[in-house]
Amino acid sequence: MKFFHLIMCCMTVFISNACAQQSDAGREEHIAKPYTPLSETELQQLNEQQLLNAKQMSASALTYFVTKVANNKYGYTVFVDGQLYIEQNTIPAKDGTVGFNTIEDAEGIARLVIKKLGDGEIPPTITLQELKEHGIE
């Protein structure tokens, strides 16, 4: 439960920062900074955090449900210890607001999300390649 609250706090800070950046966008020009790779210390901290996430998630009950969404399409919800964690009404990684065509498509990606959570990937990101591997174009 503490882990869920930590994630919610992080999401609140992220959303607050994103909103502040959007409100500033019209007032000043943002200059893109060059990419700098993570230091060895930062990589180690990231790996340690992922291991901690995996340990916490492996001790949690991870469940999903396929849901019916607009236009006879499907989405899914993921619960961690009975608490709603993800509500996905559209196909992740794709532009637009269209749900999955079949229950099986939604279920396959929901299972992939649960596997990623169990592996400590937070947030569990779905790629276009993974969609393609699951037969979702």
Side-chain angles (χ1 to χ4, degrees), residues 53-94:
N53 291 344
K55 184 178 178 181
Q56 289 174 332
M57 282 296 179
S58 68
S60 300
L62 303 172
T63 55
Y64 71 90
F65 296 95
V66 173
T67 57
K68 193 152 193 172
V69 297
N71 299 321
N72 285 329
K73 303 288 183 178
Y74 299 91
Y76 59 85
T77 54
V78 174
F79 292 82
V80 176
D81 291 331
Q83 297 289 320
L84 179 63
Y85 187 72
I86 297 170
E87 182 176 18
Q88 188 68 47
N89 294 325
T90 61
I91 300 173
K94 291 187 87 174

Side-chain angles (χ1 to χ4, degrees), residues 1 8 17 19 21 35 70 78 87 116 122 125 134:
M1 191 64 162
M8 294 308 292
N17 288 340
C19 290
Q21 286 177 353
Y35 170 76
V78 174
E87 182 176 18
K116 287 182 174 220
I122 298 175
T125 305
H134 282 82

Side-chain angles (χ1 to χ4, degrees), residues 8 13 18-19 32-33 42 46 53 68 70 79 81 96 105 108 111 113 115 127:
M8 294 308 292
V13 169
C19 290
K33 296 180 182 177
E42 291 169 324
L46 188 62
N53 291 344
K68 193 152 193 172
F79 292 82
D81 291 331
D105 288 346
R111 286 182 178 165
V113 166
K115 180 191 177 308
T127 66

Side-chain angles (χ1 to χ4, degrees), residues 45-56:
Q45 290 172 340
L46 188 62
N47 288 333
E48 289 171 1
Q49 184 61 50
Q50 189 167 5
L51 288 172
L52 179 61
N53 291 344
K55 184 178 178 181
Q56 289 174 332

